[in-house]
Every structure is written in structure tokens, then in C-alpha cells.
Amino acid sequence: MIEAVTGRKSDPSLRKQLLRLVRQLARGDCAIHHAADGEARLAGAEERLYPQAVIAEARSLGLVHLSGGRIAASAEASAFLRRALVAGGEAFSEQHGEVVAATAEVEGVRQPVRRNLQESPLGAVARLKDRDGRAFLPAEAVEAGERLLADFTRAQLQPRVTASWEPRLSSRAKGHAGGQAEIADSAIAARDRFSRAMDAMGPELSGVAVDVCCFSKGLETVERERQWPARSAKLMLRVALLALARHYAPPQSPPRRRSHHWGAEDYRPAL
């Protein structure tokens, strides 16, 4: 974890002691006393012993400064702790999830991203294999499901589970929860894309795609709610997402052959 923060390797026990030291000093400076066996005693709100190597490492990184027999955290210590927290969160997700490298379209540009396949039911389906050992869901089908979720989120279509304390506006049409004038242009465009995606999949397939990709329902939940046979939801989802992928990236038709003749430039056939 500290390697990701400092960019250099160190002993695991030293890394743990270094984080403990910076966290203690973040709560206030301490008096420092050199003890036997190459250790230093910090006396403050709590008293702890640290190896001299930890103090030297903290000073070399610019995380602490000593003055008049006291040790205090430097201005860089808080940023160091924030980076360590982020690095620790990534390590936890890699340990308890299945993180893979992928690419995604962000603001119209393809960028490398890190995807945790265990974060959503769609990721769980993406891990499945067919009889030949290939991925049950092709990459374009997974990307189509994530794109559908992105438009669903941008369109603000998530149902509200809490009361809205926003004041009612006089411009709001009577009988409507909100007029289009109150929705950002990006949300309106996302709603249009989402509606066209629903039409492309059709009413028979769009429901399972929305349940899994947008509402994060598991396949067993979908089968129970729709009274489908066991292990049928994943097949319906695969067909739906493949149809959605063709909608997002339709296959290009072969170029039409042009007719040729041997006449002059102003040649006209005789009828």
C-alpha cells in the first residue's frame, strides 16, 4: 500500500509502523525520547515506541519534523494519509473482488478503466463461460449493458425512495412530477437514447436488460418475479444485450457496386 503512495518499496512491518506514526502525529505533536535498542518513545495523548528506522523514514519522506525535543506532522502528512487510504481501498477491492482492465467510453472518448466484475449482477454474468470455455457474454454485450446503465443514470430515471423537500415551482405543469424545462439538456438526450435502446430490444427483451443492468437485480430474482424457468434469465439477457449492441454499433452494409459503361461523358442510351 505504501509503495503506491511513496513510489518505492519498503519492509511490510516498516510500512505499518510508518502509517501508525503519521496517524498518531496527525492528532497532535509529541515529545520524543530516544530509548534503548534503537527505539524512540513518543509521549503525547498516548505513548508508543517506534524503531528509529521508522522515524528516519518519515523524515526522509518529509512527513514529520523535529524541533526542541518534539516531533510533529508536516503539511505533507495529511495528503500522505489520504493517498494511503485510497491505495488501501483499491487493495481491498482487488482482494475481495475480481478487478480486470478494460476500456470504456467516457465523454465520447475511449479510456482505460478498471472494472470490478463482482460489483453488479451484469459483472457476475460476464464471468460465466459457455461449453467451449469462451465468455458467455461477448465484450460488446457487456459494454452495451454498461452504456444502458449510464444513460439510465444520466436520464435521472432512478425511482426516489425518500421524500423530496424541494419547493414546488409555479412553472411546473399541474399533474406532472416535473416539466422538461426543469431537466438538463444532457438528461433529456439520455432519456431519448434510453428510449431508442428500449425500442431496439423490444418489449420482450428490454425488461430483463433493465432489471439486471439498471436495477441490479440478480438472475434468480428476475426469474422468480417473472415466473420464468430456472437458468432462463441469462439466456434472455444475452439475446437482449446482443440486440442492444447491434443497435449501438450497427453492422456496416457492403458498399454498393457502381455501374459502368463505355460511352462518352455525355453518352445517353437510346430508348
Side-chain angles (χ1 to χ4, degrees), residues 12-71:
S13 61
L14 180 64
R15 297 196 303 266
K16 186 177 180 180
Q17 293 278 358
L18 181 62
L19 269 177
R20 181 181 298 175
L21 170 67
V22 177
R23 286 170 179 165
Q24 179 179 358
L25 294 178
R27 296 189 290 267
D29 61 340
C30 301
I32 182 170
H33 307 282
H34 297 286
D37 300 329
E39 291 184 328
R41 179 183 293 107
L42 269 64
E46 54 182 335
E47 184 172 326
R48 284 185 177 177
L49 289 173
Y50 293 94
Q52 291 287 356
V54 175
I55 306 297
E57 179 74 5
R59 295 187 66 183
S60 66
L61 294 175
L63 302 177
V64 300
H65 55 80
L66 281 73
S67 177
R70 300 191 69 82
I71 183 172

Side-chain angles (χ1 to χ4, degrees), residues 259-269:
S259 60
H260 300 277
H261 60 80
W262 299 102
E265 186 175 336
D266 56 349
Y267 168 79
R268 295 292 184 274

Side-chain angles (χ1 to χ4, degrees), residues 113-185:
V113 296
R114 291 163 62 83
R115 177 187 299 158
N116 189 347
L117 298 181
Q118 294 186 357
E119 286 185 346
S120 67
L122 179 61
V125 181
R127 299 197 307 274
L128 298 178
K129 304 292 183 181
D130 59 14
R131 293 181 179 178
D132 299 331
R134 296 174 298 183
F136 179 76
L137 282 183
E140 59 270 19
V142 178
E143 292 183 3
E146 293 178 345
R147 185 170 176 178
L148 181 70
L149 173 60
D151 284 338
F152 181 82
T153 304
R154 293 192 185 102
Q156 305 173 13
L157 296 176
Q158 301 95 331
R160 290 189 177 184
V161 296
T162 58
S164 175
W165 302 105
E166 299 175 358
R168 296 184 178 272
L169 303 179
S170 57
S171 61
R172 178 172 296 178
K174 185 176 181 180
H176 291 76
Q180 281 196 340
E182 300 174 12
I183 306 175
D185 292 340

